[in-house]
Amino acid sequence: MARITSARVIVTCPGRNFVTLKIETDEGVYGIGDATLNGRELAVASYLEDHVIPCLIGRDAHRIEDIWQYLYKGAYWRRGPVTMSAIAAVDMALWDIKGKLAGLPVYQLLGGAAREGCMVYGHANGSDIAETIERAHEYLEQGYKAVRLQSGVPGLAATYGVSGERFYYEPAKGSLPDETLWSTSKYMRHVPELFARGRDALGWDIHLLHDVHHRLTPIEAGRLGKDLEPYRLFWLEDATPAENQAGFRLIRQHTTTPLAVGEIFSSVWDAKQLIEEQLIDYIRATVVHAGGITHLRRIAALADLYQVRTGCHGATDLSPVSMAAALNFGLSVPNFGIQEYMRHTAETDEVFPHAYSLSNGLMHPGDKPGLGVDIDEALAAKYEYKRAYLPVNRLEDGTMWSW
Ligand code: KDG
Ligand code: MG
């Protein structure tokens, strides 16, 4: 028995906002979990403070599954990103506690290492194709085995995935959401050229990925997948919004380019049809937005039956706590595919000291008991929360579109 004595939410902004839950026990051991939901951070903080924390006090921190079920079924209002991020934070913190009490890294509790490390992909973003390729070369030089290529589209002022910063990509900004313009036809003409030139310059020994960011219809996505077939992508991500899971049938009928989806999914129910009908190849659900390690394992177990592999979301809005949890999960899960990795800023890394490391394109969670990540609360307190929004997107005639 490790009785939960207190829990609190820590909101900090070391370059961007993060919400962290810290759970303390009467065993003198604490655990932390990430609860960051980009652009809606305080909704999760309030859900935790006002509704979840009172239910945790006095419970046995060892009973991870029971607490998960209690929070999921007990809310009556199931699923959704706010609820599932809050449950995820509790779940991560409990696994952290269990690992610390056992004196083992969490991956050992999940069955041990199933591989030497987790292959990650980096982000090569450029305002044009030449700049994207230049940045991709930098990843190759650092030993990365996989790179995502995104480039500015001629005729569009701003494009998803492209930022002025060299290694960081941070789309959330202050005051009100930025509005950007989108043209499917300009984009569809441009992307095959990006990959043709990308393959020419980078060769065939590197995995190349691309994120469409939900901008196409299924038939357009089928066309793009077909146009990209000669360049053998590792995956085409979020080709179309996935609320209509059956929509992916149309894409599948037209292309053999592997498909990834799910960074905004909050539970296995968002992916059930996609997985069971083998409409995707990689599931991108993450530890923080999909109910923690406990629920992500359930999603991965279903996916494994259908040869769908994991490819967890890992943008900078997922804190180092999520990254540590993702790597403990990724190292141990049988059907691991790849892990996204966007470097955090030095300020973020200082607030969240961590044991994970990158070497030769593979990441390892380290061997510290628990998740292998901590929070420096005194430092975190110096960075006050700043409201920030993700952008919105419109077609050139003003119609609202998916960002
Ligand atoms: O918060 C939103 C970002 O995490 C998202 O836009 C990044 O699409 C993304 C990705 O693939 O990392
Ligand atoms: Mg994405």
Coordinates of all heavy atoms in Angstrom, one line a residue, residues 282-339:
Y282 N 0.2 2.9 -39.1 CA 0.8 3.4 -37.8 C -0.3 4.2 -37.1 O -1.0 5.0 -37.6 CB 2.0 4.4 -38.1 CG 3.1 3.7 -38.8 CD1 3.2 3.6 -40.2 CD2 4.1 3.0 -38.1 CE1 4.2 2.9 -40.8 CE2 5.1 2.3 -38.7 CZ 5.1 2.3 -40.1 OH 6.1 1.6 -40.7
I283 N -0.3 4.0 -35.8 CA -1.3 4.7 -34.9 C -0.5 5.7 -34.1 O 0.5 5.3 -33.4 CB -2.1 3.7 -34.0 CG1 -3.0 4.4 -33.1 CG2 -1.3 2.6 -33.3 CD1 -4.2 5.1 -33.8
R284 N -0.9 6.9 -34.1 CA -0.2 8.0 -33.5 C -0.7 8.5 -32.2 O -0.2 9.5 -31.7 CB -0.1 9.2 -34.5 CG 0.7 8.9 -35.7 CD 1.3 10.0 -36.5 NE 1.4 11.3 -36.0 CZ 2.5 11.8 -35.3 NH1 3.5 11.0 -35.0 NH2 2.5 13.0 -34.9
A285 N -1.6 7.8 -31.6 CA -2.1 8.2 -30.3 C -1.0 8.3 -29.3 O 0.0 7.5 -29.4 CB -3.1 7.1 -29.8
T286 N -1.1 9.2 -28.4 CA 0.0 9.4 -27.5 C -0.4 9.2 -26.0 O -1.6 9.2 -25.7 CB 0.5 10.9 -27.4 OG1 -0.6 11.7 -26.9 CG2 0.9 11.4 -28.8
V287 N 0.6 9.0 -25.2 CA 0.4 8.7 -23.8 C -0.4 9.9 -23.1 O -1.2 9.6 -22.3 CB 1.8 8.5 -23.2 CG1 2.7 9.7 -23.1 CG2 1.8 7.7 -21.9
V288 N -0.1 11.1 -23.5 CA -0.8 12.2 -22.7 C -2.2 12.4 -23.2 O -3.1 12.7 -22.4 CB 0.1 13.5 -22.8 CG1 0.4 14.0 -24.2 CG2 -0.7 14.7 -22.1
H289 N -2.5 12.3 -24.5 CA -3.9 12.6 -24.9 C -4.8 11.4 -25.0 O -5.9 11.6 -25.3 CB -3.8 13.4 -26.2 CG -3.0 14.7 -26.1 ND1 -2.1 15.0 -27.1 CD2 -3.0 15.6 -25.2 CE1 -1.5 16.2 -26.7 NE2 -2.1 16.5 -25.5
A290 N -4.2 10.2 -24.8 CA -5.0 9.0 -25.0 C -5.0 8.2 -23.7 O -4.8 6.9 -23.8 CB -4.5 8.2 -26.2
G291 N -5.1 8.8 -22.5 CA -5.3 8.1 -21.3 C -4.2 7.4 -20.6 O -4.3 6.5 -19.8
G292 N -2.9 7.8 -21.0 CA -1.8 7.3 -20.2 C -1.2 6.0 -20.8 O -1.7 5.5 -21.8
I293 N -0.2 5.5 -20.1 CA 0.4 4.3 -20.5 C -0.6 3.1 -20.5 O -0.6 2.3 -21.4 CB 1.6 4.0 -19.5 CG1 2.7 5.0 -19.7 CG2 2.1 2.6 -19.7 CD1 3.8 4.9 -18.7
T294 N -1.5 3.1 -19.5 CA -2.4 2.0 -19.4 C -3.3 1.9 -20.6 O -3.5 0.8 -21.1 CB -3.3 2.2 -18.1 OG1 -2.4 2.2 -17.0 CG2 -4.4 1.2 -17.9
H295 N -3.8 3.0 -21.1 CA -4.7 3.0 -22.2 C -4.0 2.8 -23.5 O -4.4 2.1 -24.5 CB -5.7 4.2 -22.3 CG -6.8 4.0 -23.2 ND1 -7.8 3.0 -23.0 CD2 -7.1 4.6 -24.4 CE1 -8.6 3.1 -24.0 NE2 -8.3 4.0 -24.8
L296 N -2.8 3.4 -23.6 CA -2.0 3.3 -24.8 C -1.6 1.9 -25.1 O -1.5 1.4 -26.2 CB -0.8 4.2 -24.7 CG -0.1 4.6 -26.0 CD1 -1.0 5.2 -27.0 CD2 1.1 5.5 -25.8
R297 N -1.3 1.1 -24.0 CA -1.0 -0.3 -24.1 C -2.2 -1.0 -24.7 O -2.0 -2.0 -25.5 CB -0.6 -0.9 -22.8 CG 0.7 -0.4 -22.3 CD 1.0 -1.0 -21.0 NE 1.7 -2.3 -21.1 CZ 1.6 -3.3 -20.2 NH1 1.0 -3.1 -19.1 NH2 2.3 -4.4 -20.4
R298 N -3.4 -0.6 -24.3 CA -4.6 -1.3 -24.8 C -4.7 -1.0 -26.3 O -5.0 -1.9 -27.1 CB -5.8 -0.8 -24.1 CG -7.1 -1.6 -24.3 CD -8.1 -1.4 -23.2 NE -7.6 -2.1 -22.0 CZ -7.7 -1.7 -20.7 NH1 -8.2 -0.5 -20.5 NH2 -7.2 -2.4 -19.8
I299 N -4.5 0.2 -26.7 CA -4.6 0.6 -28.2 C -3.5 -0.2 -28.9 O -3.8 -0.8 -30.0 CB -4.4 2.1 -28.4 CG1 -5.5 2.9 -27.7 CG2 -4.3 2.4 -29.8 CD1 -5.3 4.4 -27.7
A300 N -2.3 -0.3 -28.4 CA -1.2 -1.0 -29.1 C -1.5 -2.5 -29.2 O -1.2 -3.1 -30.2 CB 0.1 -0.8 -28.4
A301 N -2.2 -3.0 -28.2 CA -2.5 -4.5 -28.2 C -3.5 -4.8 -29.3 O -3.3 -5.8 -30.0 CB -3.0 -4.9 -26.8
L302 N -4.5 -3.9 -29.4 CA -5.4 -4.1 -30.5 C -4.7 -4.0 -31.9 O -4.9 -4.8 -32.8 CB -6.6 -3.1 -30.5 CG -7.6 -3.1 -31.6 CD1 -8.4 -4.4 -31.6 CD2 -8.5 -1.9 -31.6
A303 N -3.9 -2.9 -32.0 CA -3.2 -2.7 -33.2 C -2.3 -3.8 -33.6 O -2.2 -4.2 -34.8 CB -2.4 -1.4 -33.1
D304 N -1.7 -4.4 -32.6 CA -0.7 -5.5 -32.9 C -1.4 -6.7 -33.6 O -0.8 -7.4 -34.4 CB -0.1 -6.0 -31.6 CG 1.1 -6.9 -31.7 OD1 1.8 -6.8 -32.8 OD2 1.3 -7.8 -30.9
L305 N -2.7 -6.9 -33.3 CA -3.4 -8.0 -33.9 C -3.5 -7.8 -35.4 O -3.8 -8.8 -36.2 CB -4.8 -8.1 -33.3 CG -5.0 -8.4 -31.8 CD1 -6.4 -8.5 -31.4 CD2 -4.2 -9.7 -31.4
Y306 N -3.5 -6.6 -35.8 CA -3.7 -6.2 -37.3 C -2.4 -5.7 -37.9 O -2.5 -5.0 -38.9 CB -4.8 -5.2 -37.4 CG -6.1 -5.8 -36.8 CD1 -6.5 -5.6 -35.5 CD2 -7.0 -6.6 -37.6 CE1 -7.7 -6.2 -35.0 CE2 -8.1 -7.2 -37.2 CZ -8.5 -6.9 -35.8 OH -9.6 -7.5 -35.3
Q307 N -1.3 -6.0 -37.4 CA 0.0 -5.5 -37.9 C 0.1 -4.0 -38.1 O 0.7 -3.5 -39.0 CB 0.3 -6.2 -39.2 CG 0.6 -7.7 -39.0 CD 0.6 -8.5 -40.3 OE1 -0.4 -8.6 -40.9 NE2 1.8 -8.9 -40.7
V308 N -0.6 -3.3 -37.2 CA -0.5 -1.8 -37.2 C 0.5 -1.5 -36.1 O 0.5 -2.1 -35.0 CB -1.8 -1.2 -36.9 CG1 -1.7 0.3 -36.7 CG2 -2.9 -1.5 -38.0
R309 N 1.5 -0.6 -36.4 CA 2.5 -0.3 -35.4 C 2.4 1.1 -34.8 O 1.6 1.9 -35.4 CB 3.9 -0.5 -36.1 CG 4.2 -2.0 -36.4 CD 5.6 -2.2 -36.8 NE 5.8 -1.7 -38.2 CZ 7.1 -1.5 -38.7 NH1 8.1 -1.7 -37.9 NH2 7.2 -1.1 -39.9
T310 N 3.1 1.3 -33.7 CA 2.9 2.6 -33.1 C 3.8 3.6 -33.7 O 4.9 3.3 -34.3 CB 3.3 2.5 -31.6 OG1 4.7 2.2 -31.5 CG2 2.5 1.4 -30.9
G311 N 3.4 4.9 -33.6 CA 4.2 6.0 -34.1 C 3.8 7.2 -33.4 O 3.2 8.2 -33.9
C312 N 4.0 7.2 -32.1 CA 3.4 8.2 -31.2 C 3.8 9.6 -31.5 O 5.0 9.9 -31.8 CB 3.8 7.9 -29.7 SG 3.2 6.3 -29.2
H313 N 2.8 10.5 -31.4 CA 3.0 11.9 -31.4 C 4.1 12.4 -30.4 O 4.1 11.9 -29.3 CB 1.6 12.6 -31.1 CG 1.6 14.0 -31.3 ND1 0.6 14.8 -30.6 CD2 2.2 14.9 -32.1 CE1 0.8 16.1 -31.0 NE2 1.7 16.1 -31.9
G314 N 4.9 13.3 -30.8 CA 6.0 13.7 -29.9 C 6.4 15.1 -30.2 O 7.6 15.4 -30.2
A315 N 5.5 16.0 -30.5 CA 5.8 17.4 -30.8 C 6.2 18.1 -29.5 O 6.1 17.5 -28.4 CB 4.6 18.1 -31.4
T316 N 6.7 19.4 -29.6 CA 7.2 20.1 -28.4 C 6.1 20.4 -27.3 O 6.4 20.6 -26.2 CB 7.8 21.4 -28.7 OG1 7.1 22.0 -29.8 CG2 9.3 21.2 -29.1
D317 N 4.8 20.3 -27.7 CA 3.8 20.5 -26.7 C 3.5 19.3 -25.9 O 2.7 19.4 -24.9 CB 2.5 21.0 -27.4 CG 2.0 20.2 -28.6 OD1 2.7 20.2 -29.6 OD2 1.0 19.5 -28.5
L318 N 4.2 18.2 -26.2 CA 4.2 17.1 -25.2 C 5.4 17.2 -24.4 O 6.6 17.2 -24.9 CB 4.2 15.7 -26.0 CG 2.9 15.4 -26.7 CD1 2.7 16.2 -28.0 CD2 2.8 13.9 -26.9
S319 N 5.2 17.4 -23.1 CA 6.4 17.8 -22.2 C 7.4 16.6 -22.1 O 7.1 15.5 -22.5 CB 5.9 18.1 -20.8 OG 5.8 17.0 -20.0
P320 N 8.6 16.9 -21.5 CA 9.6 15.8 -21.3 C 9.0 14.7 -20.5 O 9.5 13.6 -20.6 CB 10.7 16.6 -20.6 CG 10.6 18.0 -21.1 CD 9.1 18.3 -21.2
V321 N 8.0 15.0 -19.7 CA 7.3 13.9 -18.9 C 6.7 12.9 -19.8 O 6.8 11.7 -19.7 CB 6.3 14.4 -17.9 CG1 5.8 13.3 -17.0 CG2 6.9 15.5 -17.0
S322 N 5.9 13.4 -20.8 CA 5.3 12.6 -21.8 C 6.4 11.8 -22.6 O 6.2 10.7 -23.0 CB 4.5 13.4 -22.8 OG 3.2 13.5 -22.4
M323 N 7.5 12.5 -23.0 CA 8.5 11.9 -23.8 C 9.1 10.7 -23.0 O 9.3 9.7 -23.6 CB 9.6 13.0 -24.0 CG 10.5 12.7 -25.2 SD 9.5 12.5 -26.7 CE 10.6 11.4 -27.6
A324 N 9.4 10.9 -21.7 CA 9.9 9.8 -20.9 C 8.9 8.7 -20.9 O 9.3 7.5 -21.0 CB 10.2 10.3 -19.5
A325 N 7.7 9.0 -20.7 CA 6.6 7.9 -20.6 C 6.6 7.2 -22.0 O 6.5 6.0 -22.1 CB 5.3 8.5 -20.3
A326 N 6.6 8.0 -23.1 CA 6.5 7.4 -24.4 C 7.7 6.5 -24.7 O 7.5 5.4 -25.3 CB 6.5 8.5 -25.5
L327 N 8.9 6.8 -24.2 CA 10.1 6.0 -24.4 C 10.0 4.7 -23.6 O 10.5 3.7 -24.1 CB 11.3 6.8 -24.2 CG 11.6 7.9 -25.2 CD1 12.7 8.8 -24.8 CD2 11.8 7.4 -26.6
N328 N 9.5 4.8 -22.4 CA 9.4 3.6 -21.6 C 8.4 2.7 -22.2 O 8.6 1.4 -22.3 CB 8.9 3.9 -20.1 CG 10.1 4.3 -19.2 OD1 10.8 3.5 -18.8 ND2 10.3 5.6 -19.1
F329 N 7.3 3.2 -22.8 CA 6.3 2.5 -23.5 C 6.9 1.9 -24.8 O 6.8 0.7 -25.1 CB 5.1 3.4 -23.8 CG 4.2 2.9 -24.8 CD1 3.2 1.9 -24.5 CD2 4.2 3.3 -26.1 CE1 2.3 1.4 -25.5 CE2 3.4 2.9 -27.1 CZ 2.4 1.9 -26.8
G330 N 7.5 2.8 -25.5 CA 8.0 2.4 -26.9 C 9.1 1.3 -26.8 O 9.2 0.4 -27.7
L331 N 9.9 1.4 -25.8 CA 11.0 0.4 -25.6 C 10.5 -1.0 -25.4 O 11.0 -2.0 -25.8 CB 12.0 0.8 -24.5 CG 13.3 0.1 -24.5 CD1 14.2 0.6 -25.7 CD2 14.1 0.3 -23.2
S332 N 9.3 -1.1 -24.8 CA 8.8 -2.4 -24.3 C 7.6 -2.9 -25.2 O 7.4 -4.1 -25.1 CB 8.3 -2.2 -22.9 OG 7.3 -1.2 -22.8
V333 N 7.0 -2.1 -26.0 CA 5.8 -2.6 -26.7 C 6.2 -3.4 -27.9 O 7.2 -3.1 -28.6 CB 4.9 -1.4 -27.1 CG1 5.5 -0.5 -28.2 CG2 3.5 -1.8 -27.5
P334 N 5.6 -4.6 -28.1 CA 6.1 -5.4 -29.2 C 5.9 -4.8 -30.6 O 6.8 -4.9 -31.4 CB 5.1 -6.7 -29.2 CG 4.0 -6.3 -28.3 CD 4.5 -5.2 -27.4
N335 N 4.9 -4.0 -30.9 CA 4.6 -3.5 -32.2 C 5.0 -2.0 -32.3 O 4.3 -1.2 -32.9 CB 3.2 -3.7 -32.7 CG 2.2 -3.2 -31.6 OD1 2.4 -3.2 -30.4 ND2 1.0 -2.7 -32.1
F336 N 6.2 -1.7 -31.8 CA 6.7 -0.3 -31.9 C 7.1 0.0 -33.4 O 7.6 -0.9 -34.0 CB 8.0 -0.1 -31.0 CG 8.7 1.2 -31.2 CD1 8.2 2.3 -30.6 CD2 9.8 1.2 -32.0 CE1 8.9 3.5 -30.8 CE2 10.5 2.4 -32.2 CZ 10.0 3.6 -31.6
G337 N 6.8 1.2 -33.8 CA 7.2 1.5 -35.2 C 8.2 2.6 -35.2 O 9.3 2.4 -35.7
I338 N 7.9 3.8 -34.7 CA 8.8 4.9 -34.7 C 8.2 5.9 -33.6 O 7.0 5.8 -33.2 CB 8.8 5.6 -36.1 CG1 10.1 6.5 -36.2 CG2 7.6 6.3 -36.4 CD1 10.4 6.9 -37.7
Q339 N 9.0 6.8 -33.1 CA 8.6 7.8 -32.2 C 9.0 9.2 -32.7 O 10.1 9.4 -33.2 CB 9.3 7.6 -30.8 CG 9.1 8.7 -29.8 CD 7.7 8.9 -29.3 OE1 7.0 7.9 -28.9 NE2 7.2 10.1 -29.3

